[in-house]
Amino acid sequence: MADDPNQGLPATAADPDTADDCVIAQCWQHYSDQDHAIWRRLFERQSKLLPGRACAEYLAGLEGLGVAAGEIPDFERLSDILERATGWRIVAVPGLVPDDVFFAHLAARRFPATNWIRRPEQMDYLREPDIFHDIFGHVPVLMNPAFADYMAAYGRGGLKALALGALPNLARLYWYTVEFGLMRTAEGLRIYGSGIVSSHGESLYCLDDPKPDRILFDLLRVMRTTYRIDDYQDCYFVIDSFDQLFDATRPDFTPYYEALARQPDIAAGELLAEDKLFTA
Ligand code: PHE
Ligand code: FE
């Protein structure tokens, strides 16, 4: 396999020190002044950059959460706001959790977020998600009812894909939508993927750089496409709306997985004759 299906999703080894659901306490009072200062710097830099770049749903969610720029948010307080909007809560986990645990949380409308924050020298690059990525990146769109339903459906779909041995295909859907999705709007191309909105460099690159392909969303095409975890993406997939995404993923994927098993992967950066590209 050209890409590792577990990258970007949790690892498979269970941590013996945590409960079966891997939930831990956030331990908010343990953050140092330096931790809060890093959050503040990241928050200010991204919230300045994103108007006109992130989609309206993301920006509305960020505002609705009232995630104070001032300090690392407390998950309980944030969850109370989120739950009122879409029924989701945030739970703290120690980093990567096993696939089945991750999917079960999503299916139950719980978003597992790590509680650690990067060091000052890691402002621009991280190998593993930290609390800034997990909260600033993922939680604002969970304030949107259509996206909130998509994520819960994805969790149920993940448990099914695991049972069917189709996780590599389904993981690509997560990657190219939840993490690196773009949206075509009347105002122009906008970002909704959490891996982009939490990255200063990629928030610029994904919209402005001529290099990556921007392909109109096609469910089976996405599930055939490999991805890279160590650099900006070679291609992005562009949806028209969260409703379009939710509708496209509503059918039972079992026959899709059977068809995909007989088709070769497509490398990121490779274009097919039938691909429709985004044009401004
Ligand atoms: N409908 C999908 C299935 O039957 C589940 C799913 C929903 C997957 C949303 C991804 C996103 O497996
Ligand atoms: Fe993420």
Side-chain angles (χ1 to χ4, degrees):
M1 216 158 11
D3 58 346
D4 178 347
N6 294 320
Q7 292 293 355
L9 288 174
T12 33
D15 182 338
D17 295 336
T18 54
D20 287 351
D21 65 1
C22 299
V23 171
I24 58 170
Q26 184 190 4
C27 298
W28 188 86
Q29 59 295 342
H30 290 178
Y31 294 118
S32 66
D33 290 345
Q34 187 192 63
D35 293 336
H36 288 298
I38 292 169
W39 172 273
R40 205 155 41 235
R41 274 169 65 198
L42 289 164
F43 188 101
E44 282 168 7
R45 184 169 70 160
Q46 284 313 89
S47 44
K48 244 180 244 153
L49 182 65
L50 291 176
R53 291 184 174 271
C55 67
E57 292 87 342
Y58 174 87
L59 295 170
L62 187 61
E63 194 166 306
L65 274 173
V67 188
E71 58 186 13
I72 295 172
D74 174 76
F75 288 175
E76 285 299 313
R77 283 181 47 208
L78 210 57
S79 294
D80 290 341
I81 303 169
L82 181 59
E83 187 168 20
R84 256 177 270 132
T86 58
W88 277 76
R89 293 192 70 84
I90 300 149
V91 291
V93 294
L96 304 176
V97 302
D99 295 324
D100 59 334
V101 173
F102 180 71
F103 294 136
H105 278 305
L106 297 186
R109 298 177 101 84
R110 287 188 299 265
F111 188 76
T114 188
N115 62 352
W116 67 280
I117 190 153
R118 69 194 73 186
R119 314 234 50 83
E121 60 277 12
Q122 297 172 302
M123 286 292 284
D124 294 305
Y125 184 75
L126 278 183
R127 267 205 70 94
E128 264 184 44
D130 72 342
I131 191 172
F132 184 73
H133 167 79
D134 281 344
I135 300 300
F136 187 91
H138 285 278
V139 178
V141 275
L142 287 173
M143 292 284 281
N144 179 274
F147 194 85
D149 287 347
Y150 172 69
M151 282 286 271
Y154 186 92
R156 294 191 295 275
L159 293 170
K160 184 160 111 190
L162 263 181
L164 295 172
L167 196 53
N169 290 122
L170 189 68
R172 293 167 185 169
L173 179 64
Y174 190 91
W175 190 262
Y176 283 116
T177 60
V178 176
E179 294 288 348
F180 291 98
L182 296 179
M183 190 189 292
R184 179 167 68 169
T185 78
E187 289 79 43
L189 193 59
R190 293 290 185 270
I191 305 162
Y192 71 91
S194 54
I196 309 176
V197 293
S198 62
S199 160
H200 188 78
E202 195 148 1
S203 293
L204 296 165
Y205 167 89
C206 73
L207 297 181
D208 299 344
D209 199 289
K211 185 169 153 256
D213 299 321
R214 299 173 184 88
I215 306 169
L216 298 190
F217 181 82
D218 176 290
L219 178 67
L220 292 170
R221 164 58 156 112
V222 169
M223 291 204 283
R224 290 178 60 195
T225 310
T226 64
Y227 56 81
R228 56 190 307 166
I229 62 151
D230 58 343
D231 202 351
Y232 298 157
Q233 301 304 299
D234 291 318
C235 71
Y236 298 93
F237 288 92
V238 182
I239 62 170
D240 285 320
S241 65
F242 290 149
D243 285 335
Q244 177 206 16
L245 184 58
F246 192 60
D247 286 343
T249 51
R250 201 188 296 273
D252 178 5
F253 281 15
T254 309
Y256 297 168
Y257 294 143
E258 286 163 10
L260 288 165
R262 292 188 297 271
Q263 288 182 306
D265 289 350
I266 303 165
E270 187 182 327
L271 281 177
L272 304 182
E274 60 268 31
D275 287 336
K276 294 190 186 66
L277 297 181
F278 169 82
T279 47

